[in-house]
Amino acid sequence: MADDAVPIIGATGALGFGLALRLARAGTSVVIGSRALVRAQEAADRVRAAVPGADVEGLENADAAGRGPIVLLCVPFRAQSENLTNLKAALQPGQILVDATVPLAAAVSGKATRLLGVPQGSAAQQAAEMVPDGVEVVSALHTVSASTLGDLDHELDEDVLVAGDSVEAKRRVAELIARIPGLRPVNAGRLEAARLIEGLTPLLIGINIRNKTHAGVRITGLPDELW
């Protein structure tokens, strides 16, 4: 596995698995993380079946997290705190954690079209409080449909809002996102903007339910060169 592999924590779920498929098809080495090794390996096998020749490996979360400089966290909000607690010894200074968590009310048996209040302001800011010193948190990938990601026949054409306090960390995450054809990363400002970005997810869920589709986000009027 290459040193620049992308670990995806929670890649046995729909969003993480869809990202694993798309990144693998783009030629990126992927490490699928799960709490259960068997599930991670099964998901890796599914990626290889969908993307012949894919460079993919399945590991337990803690082992997966150390395999690349940019770690994607794609777990439900109810599992975010537990996962970050378990990853404290695995994450190292210099790594970037991309938090795709959304505090949907569904985490407490509420509606997926409603957002929970988070004391820190957002799930991403909660993550920033929990990661070890020296690990930079970037918020991204909240508005891309897991269903469309997982359907390799579906051509993507949407923007991904990226927020974080480190310009360099955001740039590196943007470069990773841009490997997936049809996704355009857009700098959305500091990490505090994650509160607004995460709120787009329940909004889109409601729109998609009413229109029976998988709509994304597109920001108009931007220059050709964003980064």
Side-chain angles (χ1 to χ4, degrees):
M1 185 64 60
D3 291 336
D4 62 348
V6 178
I8 307 177
I9 306 303
T12 54
L15 176 63
F17 185 75
L19 288 167
L21 283 174
R22 296 282 179 164
L23 288 169
R25 191 168 71 167
T28 298
S29 300
V30 174
V31 182
I32 287 179
S34 176
R35 287 179 296 179
L37 178 60
V38 171
R39 290 188 64 204
Q41 293 172 335
E42 289 175 347
D45 289 340
R46 287 165 53 207
V47 171
R48 279 188 288 268
V51 184
D55 185 2
V56 59
E57 183 178 2
L59 296 172
E60 290 184 4
N61 283 334
D63 293 327
R67 298 298 293 274
I70 301 178
V71 181
L72 307 185
L73 182 64
C74 303
V75 298
F77 180 66
R78 64 179 179 273
Q80 185 205 39
S81 180
E82 177 186 357
N83 273 275
L84 289 175
T85 297
N86 294 336
L87 291 175
K88 280 187 176 179
L91 295 171
Q92 299 298 317
Q95 283 186 297
I96 298 169
L97 179 80
V98 180
D99 184 76
T101 310
V102 181
L104 297 175
V108 290
S109 300
K111 294 185 176 181
T113 53
R114 294 178 181 171
L115 202 67
L116 295 175
V118 181
Q120 294 85 347
S122 66
Q125 288 168 296
Q126 176 172 279
E129 284 192 0
M130 296 190 67
V131 296
D133 291 342
V135 175
E136 197 71 43
V137 172
V138 171
S139 174
L141 298 165
H142 299 90
T143 58
V144 184
S145 164
S147 296
T148 56
L149 281 172
D151 179 5
L152 292 178
D153 292 328
H154 183 95
E155 291 189 9
L156 302 174
D157 181 26
E158 57 192 277
D159 291 336
V160 175
L161 303 178
V162 181
D165 293 335
S166 165
V167 174
E168 174 61 17
K170 285 190 291 186
R171 183 190 63 78
R172 292 174 62 189
V173 171
E175 290 175 348
L176 175 62
I177 292 170
R179 296 182 193 178
I180 299 176
L183 294 186
R184 182 179 67 164
V186 175
N187 188 346
R190 297 183 64 84
L191 193 65
E192 63 187 12
R195 174 178 60 87
L196 305 173
I197 299 169
E198 291 169 12
L200 292 175
T201 301
L203 176 66
L204 281 172
I205 290 173
I207 290 172
N208 289 333
I209 289 172
R210 285 188 290 275
N211 293 281
K212 296 180 175 58
T213 187
H214 298 289
V217 168
R218 171 64 79 182
I219 308 298
T220 63
L222 294 176
D224 293 335
E225 290 293 332
L226 296 180
W227 299 89

